[in-house]
Amino acid sequence: MADAGSPGAVLRELVAEAVGVDGAALLEDAPLSERGDAPGQGARLPEVVAAGSTVVGVVPRAPPDLVRRLLGTGDASLEAVGDAGGDGGTVRLVFTGRAADRLAGPSGAVLRPVLADRGVEAYRHDGGSPIGVLLVDDRAVVGLFDERGLAALLWSDAPAVREWAAATCGRYLAAAEPA
């Protein structure tokens, strides 16, 4: 379990508050990876995402190292989404905050075609968020970002967390514009 005040503890508390339940009861057993863990959260995210056939998410930051891992080739990348079923998957990402700025800026001219080549439907949202939220099939994946990048990553199959993640992604998607 994450130490009080650690990025993981902060993330658990944020998710519990957003879901509206007691965090200890709901999220105590949810897998969590923090900066400094081996393997770290940056290494775990592609594994968790590639395990699904549908990914919908809100992405507030797009650190180059994480983008390379997610957009790489092989089993642990966005390219692998849906490969297990053989019919391809759906990936819809709403970029907000710094990630939206990056998508609209000079690096966006390179990033947008790469996303499209990998079958990622990219959207841009003018708001911001300290957390990233993904719904990977029926699993909610939530990441806490700080100035150094992805600080903690939590994933849960709890229905309340999945419903909150789906509603959050839906709100951002409805207010976003195609990139």
Side-chain angles (χ1 to χ4, degrees):
M1 182 149 184
D3 294 331
S6 72
V10 169
L11 180 57
R12 283 187 200 274
E13 184 61 33
L14 283 170
V15 173
E17 187 176 310
V19 172
V21 298
D22 176 24
L26 179 69
L27 299 170
E28 188 170 294
D29 294 329
L32 174 75
S33 179
E34 295 183 273
R35 184 180 292 123
D37 287 351
Q41 69 287 3
R44 290 191 183 262
L45 184 58
E47 291 172 23
V48 173
V49 170
S53 62
T54 301
V55 177
V56 179
V58 177
V59 181
R61 298 273 302 272
D65 62 325
L66 194 54
V67 170
R68 277 191 297 276
R69 286 180 187 203
L70 284 171
L71 295 178
T73 58
D75 292 341
S77 71
L78 285 175
E79 214 171 41
V81 170
D83 282 351
D87 55 3
T90 301
V91 181
R92 286 188 195 101
L93 298 178
V94 177
F95 293 86
T96 189
R98 287 185 181 176
D101 295 342
R102 187 165 181 220
L103 196 62
S107 62
V110 173
L111 190 55
R112 286 188 304 273
V114 171
L115 290 169
D117 286 348
R118 302 237 175 356
V120 176
E121 296 176 30
Y123 299 85
R124 191 172 177 284
H125 183 276
D126 286 332
S129 175
I131 61 172
V133 179
L134 298 175
L135 189 59
V136 181
D137 291 341
D138 289 331
R139 173 173 286 160
V141 182
V142 186
L144 176 67
F145 290 85
D146 64 14
E147 289 306 312
R148 292 176 31 208
L150 185 59
L153 184 69
L154 173 144
W155 52 102
S156 174
D157 296 326
V161 179
R162 289 191 323 247
E163 290 169 14
W164 166 76
T168 299
C169 292
R171 277 194 315 277
Y172 275 86
L173 195 55
E177 299 175 359

Short mmCIF file of all heavy atoms in Angstrom, two decimals, residues 55-58 91-95 121-125 166-178:
data_model
loop_
_atom_site.label_atom_id
_atom_site.label_comp_id
_atom_site.label_asym_id
_atom_site.label_seq_id
_atom_site.Cartn_x
_atom_site.Cartn_y
_atom_site.Cartn_z
N VAL A 55 -10.27 1.17 -26.15
CA VAL A 55 -9.67 2.13 -25.23
C VAL A 55 -10.27 3.49 -25.51
O VAL A 55 -10.26 3.96 -26.66
CB VAL A 55 -8.13 2.20 -25.39
CG1 VAL A 55 -7.54 3.25 -24.46
CG2 VAL A 55 -7.49 0.85 -25.17
N VAL A 56 -10.81 4.11 -24.47
CA VAL A 56 -11.30 5.48 -24.55
C VAL A 56 -10.65 6.22 -23.40
O VAL A 56 -10.61 5.69 -22.28
CB VAL A 56 -12.84 5.55 -24.43
CG1 VAL A 56 -13.32 6.98 -24.49
CG2 VAL A 56 -13.50 4.72 -25.50
N GLY A 57 -10.12 7.41 -23.65
CA GLY A 57 -9.43 8.06 -22.56
C GLY A 57 -9.27 9.55 -22.68
O GLY A 57 -9.47 10.15 -23.73
N VAL A 58 -8.87 10.13 -21.55
CA VAL A 58 -8.55 11.55 -21.42
C VAL A 58 -7.08 11.61 -21.06
O VAL A 58 -6.65 11.02 -20.06
CB VAL A 58 -9.40 12.22 -20.32
CG1 VAL A 58 -9.01 13.68 -20.16
CG2 VAL A 58 -10.89 12.08 -20.63
N VAL A 91 -9.65 2.90 -30.48
CA VAL A 91 -8.90 3.74 -29.56
C VAL A 91 -9.31 5.18 -29.82
O VAL A 91 -9.10 5.70 -30.92
CB VAL A 91 -7.37 3.59 -29.75
CG1 VAL A 91 -6.64 4.47 -28.75
CG2 VAL A 91 -6.94 2.14 -29.61
N ARG A 92 -9.94 5.79 -28.82
CA ARG A 92 -10.34 7.20 -28.88
C ARG A 92 -9.68 7.92 -27.71
O ARG A 92 -9.95 7.58 -26.56
CB ARG A 92 -11.86 7.35 -28.75
CG ARG A 92 -12.61 6.96 -29.96
CD ARG A 92 -14.10 7.32 -29.80
NE ARG A 92 -14.83 6.64 -30.82
CZ ARG A 92 -15.53 5.52 -30.64
NH1 ARG A 92 -15.62 4.99 -29.45
NH2 ARG A 92 -16.14 4.94 -31.64
N LEU A 93 -8.84 8.88 -28.01
CA LEU A 93 -8.15 9.62 -26.96
C LEU A 93 -8.47 11.10 -27.07
O LEU A 93 -8.35 11.70 -28.14
CB LEU A 93 -6.64 9.41 -27.07
CG LEU A 93 -6.15 7.98 -26.88
CD1 LEU A 93 -4.63 7.92 -27.05
CD2 LEU A 93 -6.55 7.42 -25.53
N VAL A 94 -8.84 11.68 -25.95
CA VAL A 94 -9.07 13.12 -25.86
C VAL A 94 -7.84 13.72 -25.20
O VAL A 94 -7.52 13.40 -24.06
CB VAL A 94 -10.33 13.45 -25.03
CG1 VAL A 94 -10.50 14.95 -24.91
CG2 VAL A 94 -11.56 12.80 -25.63
N PHE A 95 -7.15 14.56 -25.93
CA PHE A 95 -5.97 15.24 -25.41
C PHE A 95 -6.40 16.57 -24.83
O PHE A 95 -7.09 17.35 -25.49
CB PHE A 95 -4.94 15.44 -26.53
CG PHE A 95 -4.36 14.15 -27.02
CD1 PHE A 95 -5.01 13.41 -28.01
CD2 PHE A 95 -3.18 13.65 -26.50
CE1 PHE A 95 -4.49 12.21 -28.47
CE2 PHE A 95 -2.65 12.44 -26.94
CZ PHE A 95 -3.32 11.72 -27.93
N GLU A 121 -8.20 7.46 -32.86
CA GLU A 121 -9.04 8.63 -33.11
C GLU A 121 -8.65 9.66 -32.06
O GLU A 121 -8.85 9.46 -30.87
CB GLU A 121 -10.52 8.28 -32.96
CG GLU A 121 -11.01 7.28 -33.97
CD GLU A 121 -12.46 6.89 -33.71
OE1 GLU A 121 -13.24 7.73 -33.19
OE2 GLU A 121 -12.80 5.74 -34.03
N ALA A 122 -8.07 10.77 -32.51
CA ALA A 122 -7.57 11.79 -31.59
C ALA A 122 -8.51 12.99 -31.57
O ALA A 122 -9.00 13.44 -32.61
CB ALA A 122 -6.17 12.23 -32.00
N TYR A 123 -8.74 13.50 -30.36
CA TYR A 123 -9.59 14.67 -30.15
C TYR A 123 -8.83 15.65 -29.28
O TYR A 123 -7.93 15.28 -28.53
CB TYR A 123 -10.89 14.27 -29.45
CG TYR A 123 -11.71 13.30 -30.26
CD1 TYR A 123 -11.47 11.93 -30.20
CD2 TYR A 123 -12.71 13.76 -31.11
CE1 TYR A 123 -12.21 11.03 -30.95
CE2 TYR A 123 -13.45 12.87 -31.87
CZ TYR A 123 -13.20 11.51 -31.79
OH TYR A 123 -13.93 10.64 -32.54
N ARG A 124 -9.24 16.92 -29.38
CA ARG A 124 -8.59 17.98 -28.61
C ARG A 124 -9.63 18.67 -27.75
O ARG A 124 -10.71 19.00 -28.21
CB ARG A 124 -7.94 18.97 -29.58
CG ARG A 124 -7.03 19.94 -28.91
CD ARG A 124 -6.26 20.78 -29.93
NE ARG A 124 -5.45 21.74 -29.24
CZ ARG A 124 -5.91 22.84 -28.67
NH1 ARG A 124 -7.18 23.13 -28.75
NH2 ARG A 124 -5.09 23.65 -28.04
N HIS A 125 -9.27 18.89 -26.47
CA HIS A 125 -10.15 19.54 -25.51
C HIS A 125 -9.38 20.70 -24.90
O HIS A 125 -8.21 20.57 -24.57
CB HIS A 125 -10.54 18.52 -24.43
CG HIS A 125 -11.50 19.04 -23.42
ND1 HIS A 125 -11.10 19.75 -22.32
CD2 HIS A 125 -12.85 18.93 -23.35
CE1 HIS A 125 -12.17 20.06 -21.60
NE2 HIS A 125 -13.24 19.57 -22.21
N ALA A 166 -15.97 5.88 -17.28
CA ALA A 166 -16.76 5.98 -18.51
C ALA A 166 -17.46 7.33 -18.60
O ALA A 166 -17.46 7.97 -19.67
CB ALA A 166 -17.78 4.84 -18.57
N ALA A 167 -18.02 7.80 -17.50
CA ALA A 167 -18.71 9.10 -17.50
C ALA A 167 -17.71 10.23 -17.74
O ALA A 167 -18.00 11.17 -18.50
CB ALA A 167 -19.45 9.30 -16.18
N THR A 168 -16.54 10.15 -17.13
CA THR A 168 -15.51 11.18 -17.31
C THR A 168 -15.06 11.23 -18.77
O THR A 168 -15.00 12.30 -19.38
CB THR A 168 -14.31 10.91 -16.38
OG1 THR A 168 -14.77 10.94 -15.03
CG2 THR A 168 -13.21 11.93 -16.59
N CYS A 169 -14.75 10.08 -19.34
CA CYS A 169 -14.32 10.02 -20.74
C CYS A 169 -15.43 10.54 -21.65
O CYS A 169 -15.16 11.29 -22.60
CB CYS A 169 -13.92 8.60 -21.13
SG CYS A 169 -12.41 8.02 -20.30
N GLY A 170 -16.66 10.18 -21.37
CA GLY A 170 -17.80 10.62 -22.17
C GLY A 170 -17.97 12.13 -22.15
O GLY A 170 -18.23 12.75 -23.19
N ARG A 171 -17.82 12.74 -20.96
CA ARG A 171 -17.93 14.21 -20.85
C ARG A 171 -16.86 14.92 -21.68
O ARG A 171 -17.13 15.86 -22.40
CB ARG A 171 -17.83 14.65 -19.39
CG ARG A 171 -19.10 14.56 -18.61
CD ARG A 171 -19.01 15.32 -17.29
NE ARG A 171 -17.79 15.10 -16.54
CZ ARG A 171 -17.55 14.08 -15.72
NH1 ARG A 171 -18.48 13.16 -15.55
NH2 ARG A 171 -16.41 13.99 -15.07
N TYR A 172 -15.64 14.47 -21.55
CA TYR A 172 -14.54 15.09 -22.30
C TYR A 172 -14.72 14.86 -23.81
O TYR A 172 -14.50 15.78 -24.60
CB TYR A 172 -13.19 14.54 -21.84
CG TYR A 172 -12.62 15.27 -20.64
CD1 TYR A 172 -12.97 14.89 -19.36
CD2 TYR A 172 -11.74 16.32 -20.81
CE1 TYR A 172 -12.45 15.55 -18.26
CE2 TYR A 172 -11.22 16.99 -19.72
CZ TYR A 172 -11.58 16.60 -18.44
OH TYR A 172 -11.07 17.26 -17.35
N LEU A 173 -15.11 13.66 -24.19
CA LEU A 173 -15.29 13.35 -25.61
C LEU A 173 -16.39 14.21 -26.22
O LEU A 173 -16.25 14.73 -27.33
CB LEU A 173 -15.60 11.87 -25.79
CG LEU A 173 -15.49 11.29 -27.18
CD1 LEU A 173 -14.13 11.55 -27.80
CD2 LEU A 173 -15.76 9.79 -27.15
N ALA A 174 -17.48 14.41 -25.47
CA ALA A 174 -18.59 15.23 -25.97
C ALA A 174 -18.20 16.69 -26.15
O ALA A 174 -18.75 17.37 -27.03
CB ALA A 174 -19.79 15.12 -25.00
N ALA A 175 -17.25 17.16 -25.37
CA ALA A 175 -16.84 18.57 -25.45
C ALA A 175 -15.60 18.78 -26.30
O ALA A 175 -15.13 19.91 -26.44
CB ALA A 175 -16.57 19.08 -24.03
N ALA A 176 -15.07 17.72 -26.89
CA ALA A 176 -13.82 17.81 -27.65
C ALA A 176 -14.08 17.96 -29.15
O ALA A 176 -15.18 17.69 -29.63
CB ALA A 176 -12.98 16.57 -27.40
N GLU A 177 -13.04 18.40 -29.85
CA GLU A 177 -13.08 18.52 -31.31
C GLU A 177 -12.10 17.52 -31.91
O GLU A 177 -11.03 17.29 -31.34
CB GLU A 177 -12.66 19.92 -31.73
CG GLU A 177 -13.55 21.01 -31.21
CD GLU A 177 -13.01 22.40 -31.58
OE1 GLU A 177 -11.93 22.49 -32.22
OE2 GLU A 177 -13.67 23.37 -31.22
N PRO A 178 -12.42 16.94 -33.05
CA PRO A 178 -11.46 16.03 -33.69
C PRO A 178 -10.15 16.76 -33.98
O PRO A 178 -10.14 17.93 -34.36
CB PRO A 178 -12.15 15.63 -34.99
CG PRO A 178 -13.60 15.88 -34.76
CD PRO A 178 -13.67 17.04 -33.81
#
